[in-house]
Amino acid sequence: MITINKINDCWKHIGVEGDRTCDQLTQVTHCHNCPVYAESGRLLLEREMPIDYIQEWTTAIADRGSALSVRSTEEMLSLILFRLGNEQFAISTRSLQEVIRPSQIHTLPHRSDQLFLGLTSIRGEILLCASLRAFLNLEPGSPSDRERMLIVHSNQRRWVFPVDEVHGIQRHSLSEIQTPPVVITKTNIAYTQGIFTWKDQKISYLNAELLIDTLDRSLL
């Protein structure tokens, strides 16, 4: 085995890193240009690795592979986060078709109310529009210039839901989703799949399919 002790590190003693008394410096100018320095570098690269060094890196790589394996098998959820009044919600992006700016809502005589707002035209297509705030029995929030509409779909049916603000799409692991408590303030627990924390705020993860199914049946 080639050891560090057998490598001539004269540059540290009589070379550019030492007292510069080496008589070869006048010819080679710098130790980097010296054959002794080059040979020492070759020996350093060709030396056998210490046993404890190999074991240390074997363990480190194995641990990292195990951690990556756990992360890769953990189910991740892609969610759209939004605000209604003073409360925060999320639905799966699988149920989300689009986020749009507010569009005019046309009420229907004897049909429109606080829950069923009416119809809205999205690029020439007429879609039903409902208030999630009324559906979930939430207090109205203050006016916002960040209002948006969510186009949510399930089984060929699409609804438009006005919201006060959209935070964007976030990915969360399934392990982050906690079982909703028995009592959720001002929110109908039947439509809440779970609760998770985002930026120190509690987010209610809603079941969009169940929401739409209930809305569909309410129009029959």
Side-chain angles (χ1 to χ4, degrees), residues 46-64:
E46 292 179 353
R47 77 191 191 283
E48 295 183 23
M49 293 294 101
I51 295 298
D52 56 347
Y53 179 87
I54 296 175
Q55 291 177 342
E56 179 181 350
W57 275 99
T58 299
T59 301
I61 292 173
D63 290 344
R64 179 174 176 82

Side-chain angles (χ1 to χ4, degrees), residues 136-198:
L136 298 173
N137 193 30
L138 302 175
E139 295 293 336
S142 56
S144 170
D145 58 358
R146 299 181 179 180
E147 293 179 355
R148 293 292 185 270
M149 285 180 164
L150 304 181
I151 302 178
V152 181
H153 65 89
S154 175
N155 299 324
Q156 307 302 319
R157 174 75 80 180
R158 289 184 294 168
W159 282 81
V160 178
F161 300 126
V163 299
D164 294 317
E165 183 178 1
V166 172
H167 301 301
I169 294 175
Q170 304 285 333
R171 289 178 61 81
H172 294 269
S173 66
L174 190 60
S175 61
E176 293 179 57
I177 310 300
Q178 302 175 358
T179 303
V182 176
V183 177
I184 301 179
T185 305
K186 301 179 181 179
T187 304
N188 194 326
I189 192 174
Y191 304 99
T192 303
Q193 300 186 91
I195 301 290
F196 64 94
T197 302
W198 175 75

Side-chain angles (χ1 to χ4, degrees), residues 88-152:
Q88 313 294 333
F89 298 91
I91 61 171
S92 171
T93 55
R94 290 180 300 180
S95 300
L96 177 71
Q97 177 178 314
E98 192 176 354
V99 178
I100 61 173
R101 293 186 177 276
S103 178
Q104 184 178 1
I105 300 172
H106 303 276
T107 59
L108 297 179
H110 311 297
R111 292 300 303 270
S112 296
D113 51 32
Q114 290 184 336
L115 173 59
F116 176 57
L117 301 178
L119 305 175
T120 185
S121 176
I122 307 299
R123 290 185 291 277
E125 184 177 3
I126 304 301
L127 298 178
L128 302 170
C129 186
S131 169
L132 278 182
R133 183 184 295 111
F135 189 87
L136 298 173
N137 193 30
L138 302 175
E139 295 293 336
S142 56
S144 170
D145 58 358
R146 299 181 179 180
E147 293 179 355
R148 293 292 185 270
M149 285 180 164
L150 304 181
I151 302 178
V152 181

